[in-house]
Amino acid sequence: MKYLKFLLLFIPLFGKAQSKTIMGKIIDENGPILAANVYYKSNPALGTTSDIEGFFKLIITNRKDTLVVSYIGHEKLNIPFMELKRNEINIFKLKVKSDVLNEIVIKGRDPISQQFSVVKLNKMDIYLNPVAQGDPLKAITILPASTIIDETANPSLRGSDPDRTRVVLNGVPIYNPVRASQINNQGFFSLFNPELIDKQYVYASNPPLTFGNSSAGLVEIQTTKNLENNQLKLSSTLVSTGFLVSKKIKNQNSFLQVYGNYQFSDAFIGIQEQNLPDLSNFNTLDFGVNLAFELDKKWILNSYTYFIDEAFMGFNERFTYRGPFNSSKTRVFSVNSVDYANRNTYLSMNTGINFENQNFEFGNTLSDQEAKQLYLSLNYKVNLEKIDIQSVVSMDQQFNSFDDTFAEFFYALSPESPSLSSLNSLDNNALEGAIYASWKPDSKITLSSGVRVNLPTKSQSSFLSWQFGTKYKMNNHHSLLLSGGKYHNYTTPSIFRPRYDLLNSDQIALDYTYEETNTTMTSALYYKTEGGNQFILGGIPIDNIQTLGFEIFFKQRFNSNLSWSASYSYIDQNLRIGDSKFAGFRDADYFIKSTLEFNHPKWFTVSLNWIGRTGSRYTGIVSGETDPNSDFFRPLFSNELFGDQFNDYNRLDVNINKYISWNNKELVLFASVNNLLNTQNQRRDQYNEDYTARRFDLFQKRLLFFGLVWTLN
């Protein structure tokens, strides 16, 4: 199927190739450390980084050598391998350097994230994620807060529509952050290469108001800030070939990364054509450049530029019409920032520009869309003894144009059916300012609050967003976070909604975290009311969407080879239309995710992931009536909105990989099978020409993918 282009990305999942490994957990006084460096003293190229929980594994090739553990702003540890335990987890506690400038700590760890419900991911967390398929936004799918129900890359968090959540790259919002877009601007995979990612923060709800234009969650992506060594990486998969070059320049803190990929579909379709009935052909060319340049000890310039040209041909079916679907898109964006850091102050100036053109054709729908964006922001932060204060001013100027031909009757989609033409252009200039403060009176309690206001332009309405947070850390194992607020965002224009509507939400959430060396548990109880200019099929206005949710996550490491995690989410969601109440789009009695991973250093790494949930709700068509104006039958919908429900959704994926290392070279062999059991998961209802018979379009069937990545250090 056309939404199955997961093979546009390679999936280097790293295992081990030797028979002896050590395991460790890196912490400091604040808890686990993400992305700490672990390597051989005699050969820094042989190393790894710690994951979100501070864990790492490393092959022992020379027990006479010394292990080095380092993290920016902390004192380095040197431990002989002979002193380390091989059959249990070694704990490494790093101390903050007493003589280091505070600006170094600010660059290494964003203190604002500590006051929010946030999950941090690094490059290895993405690669080792069993459902990510090498994609940063797809990696979010496994999180308990993720409520994605359409197998796309656009993140949906805690029951909210994806257009309420924003993706931010180095401080600049990236709209439509996906490739291979469909008519509704939903995409299969994101635009981001995990090789260039340093950290990814996922705020499930109550996102920090230092970022704007979000009324649900937030995904903050930061590109690589430090380069350990020069590197050339080559990849070849069933659908692609690519390269990545990383090169230090000027000094240790300046470097350049360049990558490119070419994707093609012939081999992919050729070996499994029977499972791809809606896919004809695709090809993609993309490349990116990431530059980090240290101007002096206090000033750093970062520039990231990305280009993509993609085309896709397949088949689509809506209502009673099935026909070819063609889509192409060209896009280039550049994100640039200059950061200044002193002992207790931090200043960041961010700019972003974006140009894109998208064309698609399906039946009597033809569209030529252009989008442009200019973003500017100034961020100032000061760290006092117990108080942090941050202020932000931003301008987000967007321009969209639509040259469209679309169906006059939404159910009559054949090329011969009546159509209408529209030439439309619109713009939106969001001028906003925000201030955020946090106070830590002692080691256990953190209080925070923030406000964000806009300066209305043209016909915009004024708004005031606000938030609060109270975090209580009972001890090193238990913590509670109570957060809430009111948020606003503008919709992203599309052919079916060519305007900027202002949305709002009121949220409150209680999050609990428990952490031990081998055990992690989190849970959350939340409630939100989402309003604004919202509609459903037929232009029926929605007064608001109310969501009450509960989620719990548990992860256990049994030994050095085996780990298991599982999560359960319950979502009670209702749409209110006048005096009536209906089940919401993401209402679910259960949403279960489970991962089992086996990692044997001598053999391979294999992981199994299962996702199961209640089937999505929809409004069925009960019959049709002749319509002489369109020559099609007019569908008559059920009087009970969202009264029908698809079958329960179940999907099992398996990933296996082998890692080989020799003479400072690395080879990764990998393979995956998605939807291993070939479950027939219903995606959309389809009908015959007079709506007397119903059948169902399906999500992805069983698909195979494999390839290799060769790294030359």
Side-chain angles (χ1 to χ4, degrees):
M1 296 181 182
K2 67 184 181 197
Y3 47 85
L4 303 180
K5 291 170 50 182
F6 73 82
L7 305 195
L8 295 182
L9 298 169
F10 55 85
I11 317 171
L13 303 177
F14 292 83
K16 304 290 186 254
Q18 304 296 324
S19 60
K20 299 178 181 179
T21 61
I22 60 163
M23 297 185 300
K25 183 174 183 178
I26 305 172
I27 62 174
D28 65 4
E29 59 185 13
N30 295 313
I33 296 178
L34 168 71
N37 296 308
V38 184
Y39 54 89
Y40 279 79
K41 186 175 183 179
S42 64
N43 188 355
L46 295 178
T48 185
T49 58
S50 57
D51 65 14
I52 187 173
E53 298 168 351
F55 286 102
F56 73 89
K57 290 183 180 181
L58 188 66
I59 305 167
I60 301 177
T61 58
N62 182 6
R63 289 190 58 81
K64 295 181 180 181
D65 209 332
T66 298
L67 180 73
V68 180
V69 180
S70 68
Y71 187 73
I72 190 167
H74 292 66
E75 295 181 3
K76 187 181 296 184
L77 286 180
N78 292 272
I79 310 100
F81 277 105
M82 297 294 294
E83 298 179 7
L84 298 175
K85 303 172 183 177
R86 280 195 289 162
N87 297 320
E88 58 184 275
I89 301 220
N90 298 269
I91 304 298
F92 304 94
K93 186 170 183 178
L94 301 184
K95 296 180 180 179
V96 177
K97 291 182 180 179
S98 58
D99 58 343
V100 71
L101 295 178
N102 286 346
E103 71 268 18
I104 301 299
V105 180
I106 291 173
K107 292 176 187 176
R109 179 181 302 175
D110 184 3
I112 193 174
S113 66
Q114 305 300 321
Q115 287 97 54
F116 293 87
S117 174
V118 62
V119 175
K120 306 175 189 176
L121 305 174
N122 64 11
K123 178 177 67 176
M124 293 306 298
D125 295 319
I126 296 169
Y127 280 145
L128 294 172
N129 188 306
V131 299
Q133 299 157 354
D135 186 89
L137 294 189
K138 293 284 280 189
I140 298 172
T141 304
I142 198 63
L143 302 180
S146 173
T147 49
I148 297 173
I149 60 175
D150 52 12
E151 294 189 350
T152 67
N154 272 342
S156 167
L157 298 171
R158 291 184 173 173
S160 293
D161 186 85
D163 198 32
R164 288 181 175 269
T165 292
R166 290 294 170 244
V167 177
V168 176
L169 176 67
N170 289 348
V172 175
I174 306 296
Y175 298 102
N176 293 326
V178 294
R179 60 172 68 193
S181 294
Q182 305 172 47
I183 292 180
N184 58 5
N185 279 337
Q186 299 295 304
F188 316 117
F189 277 84
S190 77
L191 302 173
F192 309 111
N193 188 330
E195 283 294 334
L196 275 63
I197 289 180
D198 180 36
K199 298 182 183 68
Q200 177 171 285
Y201 298 81
V202 181
Y203 299 88
S205 58
N206 292 295
L209 286 176
T210 49
F211 301 99
N213 206 12
S214 171
S215 62
L218 183 83
V219 180
E220 180 193 358
I221 299 175
Q222 298 177 3
T223 55
T224 302
K225 298 297 189 296
N226 296 285
L227 187 65
E228 290 294 326
N229 52 271
N230 298 332
Q231 191 178 80
L232 171 62
K233 181 171 291 189
L234 305 174
S235 66
S236 179
T237 75
L238 186 62
V239 297
S240 68
T241 180
F243 73 92
L244 167 69
V245 178
S246 300
K247 177 70 175 178
K248 294 181 181 180
I249 56 176
K250 183 184 175 183
N251 53 49
Q252 291 294 104
N253 297 318
S254 299
F255 61 89
L256 177 68
Q257 293 178 293
V258 180
Y259 73 92
N261 294 282
Y262 175 66
Q263 292 92 21
F264 42 85
S265 60
D266 293 348
F268 174 47
I269 297 176
I271 67 171
Q272 47 203 346
E273 185 175 4
Q274 70 281 2
N275 285 341
L276 297 164
D278 294 332
L279 178 60
S280 298
N281 179 58
F282 64 81
N283 60 81
T284 303
L285 174 66
D286 72 324
F287 62 86
V289 178
N290 182 44
L291 170 66
F293 194 81
E294 185 180 66
L295 304 175
D296 60 32
K297 294 298 182 181
K298 296 182 179 180
W299 292 88
I300 292 181
L301 166 69
N302 186 263
S303 178
Y304 178 83
T305 301
Y306 177 79
F307 169 83
I308 183 170
D309 182 33
E310 61 178 343
F312 167 77
M313 291 183 292
F315 290 88
N316 192 20
E317 187 170 358
R318 298 293 302 273
F319 295 103
T320 63
Y321 173 71
R322 175 180 173 81
F325 176 89
N326 298 300
S327 176
S328 63
K329 189 173 186 178
T330 302
R331 182 173 186 176
V332 59
F333 65 78
S334 181
V335 174
N336 304 277
S337 63
V338 177
D339 300 332
Y340 168 83
N342 206 337
R343 180 170 294 275
N344 63 344
T345 60
Y346 176 74
L347 179 67
S348 177
M349 294 167 284
N350 304 298
T351 65
I353 56 173
N354 174 72
F355 301 94
E356 59 183 289
N357 181 274
Q358 179 178 349
N359 302 274
F360 63 77
E361 177 181 354
F362 171 63
N364 59 354
T365 300
L366 306 172
S367 180
D368 184 359
Q369 304 178 22
E370 289 188 6
K372 301 176 184 178
Q373 178 195 9
L374 171 63
Y375 181 86
L376 302 171
S377 72
L378 183 64
N379 187 322
Y380 175 76
K381 185 188 305 180
V382 59
N383 302 101
L384 305 177
E385 184 176 354
K386 294 184 177 181
I387 299 176
D388 295 336
I389 301 174
Q390 188 171 352
S391 61
V392 179
V393 292
S394 65
M395 182 198 76
D396 192 353
Q397 174 74 57
Q398 297 184 63
F399 174 83
N400 292 79
S401 67
F402 299 88
D403 185 359
D404 299 327
T405 300
F406 53 91
E408 181 177 356
F409 305 94
F410 67 89
Y411 50 86
L413 301 173
S414 72
E416 299 79 18
S417 298
S419 60
L420 301 174
S421 297
S422 173
L423 185 61
N424 190 22
S425 63
L426 61 157
D427 64 274
N428 189 51
N429 189 12
L431 302 176
E432 300 176 9
I435 186 168
Y436 172 86
S438 66
W439 176 44
K440 193 169 184 177
D442 57 41
S443 60
K444 293 186 176 182
I445 298 177
T446 303
L447 306 174
S448 60
S449 64
V451 295
R452 190 177 188 97
V453 298
N454 72 324
L455 180 64
T457 61
K458 294 187 177 181
S459 59
Q460 289 178 344
S461 300
S462 60
F463 66 77
L464 170 66
S465 299
W466 56 270
Q467 67 182 175
F468 72 89
T470 302
K471 186 172 185 178
Y472 177 57
K473 189 174 182 180
M474 292 167 274
N475 51 46
N476 290 332
H477 304 298
H478 304 270
S479 66
L480 281 171
L481 172 64
L482 176 66
S483 59
K486 187 177 187 67
Y487 305 85
H488 296 82
N489 81 285
Y490 294 100
T491 58
T492 304
S494 68
I495 181 177
F496 301 112
R497 194 174 184 171
R499 59 185 181 272
Y500 295 95
D501 290 325
L502 182 63
L503 306 180
N504 62 75
S505 70
D506 296 280
Q507 305 181 34
I508 188 167
L510 179 64
D511 292 84
Y512 166 75
T513 301
Y514 170 78
E515 288 185 308
E516 278 280 5
T517 301
N518 292 316
T519 305
T520 300
M521 186 182 76
T522 64
S523 63
L525 178 66
Y526 58 90
Y527 178 79
K528 63 176 75 175
T529 300
E530 298 174 322
N533 200 9
Q534 307 167 100
F535 300 90
I536 58 175
L537 182 67
I540 301 175
I542 302 173
D543 294 325
N544 60 59
I545 303 174
Q546 297 178 351
T547 304
L548 173 65
F550 170 76
E551 62 193 39
I552 185 169
F553 169 81
F554 178 82
K555 182 174 183 178
Q556 179 68 42
R557 291 177 180 267
F558 299 105
N559 52 45
S560 60
N561 303 117
L562 189 64
S563 66
W564 172 73
S565 67
S567 68
Y568 166 81
S569 298
Y570 167 80
I571 302 174
D572 181 17
Q573 187 174 83
N574 297 289
L575 307 181
R576 292 194 175 272
I577 303 174
D579 296 329
S580 301
K581 183 174 70 172
F582 305 92
F585 306 110
R586 290 173 174 79
D587 183 84
D589 293 333
Y590 71 91
F591 211 133
I592 300 175
K593 306 167 187 178
S594 182
T595 299
L596 180 67
E597 180 177 302
F598 174 77
N599 181 355
H600 194 288
K602 186 177 181 180
W603 300 342
F604 51 78
T605 296
V606 62
S607 62
L608 295 172
N609 184 80
W610 175 67
I611 297 179
R613 60 171 172 81
T614 306
S616 304
R617 295 183 177 273
Y618 67 100
T619 303
I621 299 174
V622 295
S623 64
E625 63 180 12
T626 57
D627 181 2
N629 295 317
S630 65
D631 266 347
F632 271 72
F633 279 83
R634 182 200 310 272
L636 298 178
F637 291 91
S638 169
N639 291 328
E640 185 179 357
L641 292 178
F642 307 107
D644 293 301
Q645 192 170 14
F646 296 121
N647 293 341
D648 290 351
Y649 177 99
N650 290 280
R651 171 174 159 176
L652 179 66
D653 299 338
V654 59
N655 299 276
I656 185 170
N657 64 88
K658 174 69 173 179
Y659 172 83
I660 304 171
S661 176
W662 78 100
N663 296 331
N664 292 333
K665 297 178 179 63
E666 299 173 351
L667 180 65
V668 179
L669 306 174
F670 55 88
S672 65
V673 181
N674 287 72
N675 195 4
L676 178 66
L677 303 180
N678 207 26
T679 308
Q680 307 296 293
N681 291 312
Q682 297 173 350
R683 184 174 74 107
R684 190 166 55 202
D685 53 328
Q686 304 288 357
Y687 300 84
N688 64 347
E689 64 178 11
D690 60 358
Y691 298 98
T692 57
R694 179 175 61 178
R695 57 189 176 81
F696 296 96
D697 183 25
L698 302 176
F699 281 109
Q700 73 166 62
K701 298 181 181 179
R702 182 193 299 120
L703 290 177
L704 171 67
F705 180 54
F706 54 85
L708 61 86
V709 179
W710 185 24
T711 302
L712 305 171
N713 292 323

